[in-house]
Amino acid sequence: EAGVAQSPRYKIIEKRQSVAFWCNPISGHATLYWYQQILGQGPKLLIQFQNNGVVDDSQLPKDRFSAERLKGVDSTLKIQPAKLEDSAVYLCASSPDRDYSYEQYFGPGTRLTVT
Amino acid sequence: KQEVTQIPAALSVPEGENLVLNCSFTDSAIYNLQWFRQDPGKGLTSLLLIQSSQREQTSGRLNASLDKSSGRSTLYIAASQPGDSATYLCALGNYGQNFVFGPGTRLSVLP
């Protein structure tokens, strides 16, 4: 089966600009996650979707970050306006729910540099 | 709030050694624990998943254990190889708090 797809792989923007990332989860996976990974740290969960609905967005900086999941499949994460501290790798993951294991499968990530 | 630590932060061993990576957590109300490896510039690859009702899982040269009462998990790598060099992260699925990752252990296996 195809893995989690993300694009773009790399993005460089200036502060105060906007940027969007795209994620296509593994087919049939109902749960989708966006993580932020700052260099040298473990990933931090930003938002979790179950089908179309948001399960957890408690760590999403909602004044500048937004996310949506279209028809319970693809998802986009947007930052507007970007700050220097947003420089990180943005990882998307998905989980099947069929056995309630919630094992996560990750995409390759998008490396964002804000200058 | 769940807090996860991984010790050591970095480890360098000669090829062929058996080694243990540690993951400690503060809240035992978890439903699973997952070990990942991350190669530089890459995403995360799942290694082993342990459900809260299990005590260990094995895959090839890897064995992961879970002791919820002491808040610990270990990842045992047998007969290490240079290809095992990567950062290893543990992640906990928590009731009411969702997933929390540790900071990782950076492993170097020297030929």
Side-chain angles (χ1 to χ4, degrees), chain A residues 4-79:
Chain A
V4 177
Q6 290 188 247
S7 67
R9 292 295 312 279
Y10 306 93
K11 190 74 176 179
I12 300 174
I13 62 172
E14 295 181 352
K15 60 183 179 183
R16 292 187 290 273
Q17 286 187 326
S18 63
V19 64
F21 312 126
W22 174 81
C23 173
N24 181 243
I26 294 174
S27 177
H29 283 196
T31 306
L32 184 147
Y33 315 82
W34 282 103
Y35 289 88
Q36 179 192 60
Q37 186 176 25
I38 293 172
L39 187 65
Q41 300 180 17
K44 182 183 80 171
L45 180 69
L46 293 176
I47 189 167
Q48 177 185 347
F49 293 95
Q50 181 85 11
N51 296 310
N52 285 348
V54 175
V55 173
D56 183 353
D57 64 357
S58 58
Q59 298 190 100
L60 186 73
K62 298 181 185 64
D63 58 333
R64 297 184 301 107
F65 287 63
S66 65
E68 62 178 359
R69 190 171 184 196
L70 307 173
K71 299 181 180 179
V73 182
D74 293 5
S75 178
T76 56
L77 176 69
K78 297 179 181 178
I79 307 175

Side-chain angles (χ1 to χ4, degrees), chain A residues 9-10 33 35 37 40-45 48 55-56 59 91 99-109 111, chain B residues 1 31-32 34 36 38 40-49 51 89 91 96-104:
Chain A
R9 292 295 312 279
Y10 306 93
Y33 315 82
Y35 289 88
Q37 186 176 25
Q41 300 180 17
K44 182 183 80 171
L45 180 69
Q48 177 185 347
V55 173
D56 183 353
Q59 298 190 100
L91 296 163
D99 57 0
Y100 300 99
S101 69
Y102 297 104
E103 182 171 5
Q104 298 185 67
Y105 298 83
F106 280 79
R111 182 176 299 276
Chain B
K1 178 184 174 185
Y31 54 83
N32 70 19
Q34 198 167 354
F36 295 88
Q38 186 172 33
K42 302 287 182 63
L44 279 70
T45 301
S46 177
L47 298 173
L48 290 164
L49 171 72
Q51 299 294 351
L89 301 108
Q97 298 179 63
N98 229 308
F99 293 99
V100 179
F101 274 81

